[in-house]
């Protein structure tokens, strides 16, 4: 919601006319109308007076513009950091499980076939901690790569760029 919409909403909530508000602020009714139509914006002194009249903080008028963009960007940054931590944790856990299988070699025989190293740990009936570390690591790597991260910066709404009629079109 734009600043003008907030001014109009607050004015109507207090059952004030544009003329009443203009008189309190020392401006014309047309100025208030232009603010509410988002043609112009009040200066900072008028915004302070509006916040006093409507009993709200100045940030109320900017809550959907500056503050909201800042808050959304902070959330995106926090999500990005969480993804990094999740990815790094996955790498560390998988590496730890591989390191454990190298430091403490294990052999497992199944149907006359010998399995050793990390595969032996995965197919064994024991060592659930190693399996859990490995699968939690793989899971965190998987989650950190498949969950989309929107790192695009918030942009202002684009205005429609309508083509101006050329000489031939204007003559028609």
């Amino acid at each position: 919601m734009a600043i003008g919409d907030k001014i109009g909403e607050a004015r109507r909530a207090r059952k004030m006319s544009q003329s009443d508000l203009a008189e309190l602020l020392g401006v014309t009714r047309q100025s208030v109308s232009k603010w509410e139509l988002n043609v112009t914006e009040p200066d900072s002194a008028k915004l302070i007076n509006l916040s006093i009249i409507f009993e709200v903080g100045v940030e109320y008028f900017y809550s959907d513009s500056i503050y909201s963009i800042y808050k959304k960007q902070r959330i995106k940054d926090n999500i990005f950091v969480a993804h990094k931590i999740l990815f790094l944790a996955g790498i560390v856990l998988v590496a730890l499980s591989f390191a454990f299988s190298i430091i403490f070699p294990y052999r497992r025989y199944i149907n006359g076939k010998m399995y050793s190293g990390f595969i032996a740990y995965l197919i064994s009936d024991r060592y659930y901690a190693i399996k859990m570390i490995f699968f939690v690591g793989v899971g965190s790597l998987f989650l950190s790569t498949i969950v989309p991260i929107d790192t695009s910066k918030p942009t202002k709404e684009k205005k429609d760029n309508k083509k101006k009629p050329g000489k031939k079109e204007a003559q028609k």
Side-chain angles (χ1 to χ4, degrees):
M1 195 181 295
I3 293 173
D5 299 330
K6 295 262 185 166
I7 293 171
E9 182 181 281
R11 180 184 59 77
R12 285 187 291 277
R14 301 220 174 6
K15 296 185 170 90
M16 296 174 72
S17 68
Q18 287 181 343
S19 300
D20 295 339
L21 182 59
E23 187 178 322
L24 287 173
L25 292 170
V27 296
T28 63
R29 185 198 60 77
Q30 288 82 2
S31 296
V32 174
S33 177
K34 286 181 182 179
W35 296 343
E36 290 183 4
L37 293 172
N38 295 311
V39 174
T40 61
E41 289 185 359
D43 61 15
S44 57
K46 297 291 186 250
L47 275 176
I48 292 170
N49 290 337
L50 283 167
S51 67
I52 293 168
I53 292 168
F54 296 139
E55 298 173 356
V56 295
V58 176
E59 68 275 359
Y60 167 78
F61 299 108
Y62 289 110
S63 66
D64 287 342
S65 52
I66 297 170
Y67 180 73
S68 155
I69 290 170
Y70 171 75
K71 190 173 180 179
K72 287 176 186 174
Q73 188 60 39
R74 287 282 309 251
I75 290 169
K76 286 180 185 179
D77 292 345
N78 290 343
I79 290 172
F80 187 69
V81 169
H83 274 268
K84 282 177 151 177
I85 291 171
L86 191 62
F87 183 75
L88 291 174
I91 288 174
V92 167
L93 291 175
V94 170
L96 183 66
S97 60
F98 277 113
F100 187 83
S101 69
I102 292 169
I103 296 169
F104 304 105
Y106 176 68
R107 290 187 178 87
R108 170 88 180 168
Y109 291 93
I110 298 177
N111 296 332
K113 274 180 121 177
M114 182 186 82
Y115 297 93
S116 64
F118 186 71
I119 300 297
Y121 279 105
L122 288 180
I123 63 174
S124 78
D125 298 335
R126 300 178 280 172
Y127 305 106
Y128 293 107
I130 299 299
K131 291 180 192 179
M132 192 61 112
I133 289 171
F134 174 73
F135 288 118
V136 167
V138 168
S140 65
L141 283 171
F142 180 72
L143 284 176
S144 69
T145 56
I146 66 160
V147 177
I149 304 173
D150 182 17
T151 57
S152 62
K153 296 192 177 191
T155 58
K156 294 181 180 177
E157 294 178 19
K158 294 181 181 176
K159 295 180 180 178
D160 293 334
N161 292 331
K162 295 181 181 178
K163 291 184 177 180
K164 294 180 181 177
K167 290 180 181 178
K168 292 181 181 178
E169 295 173 0
Q171 292 173 357
K172 291 182 182 179

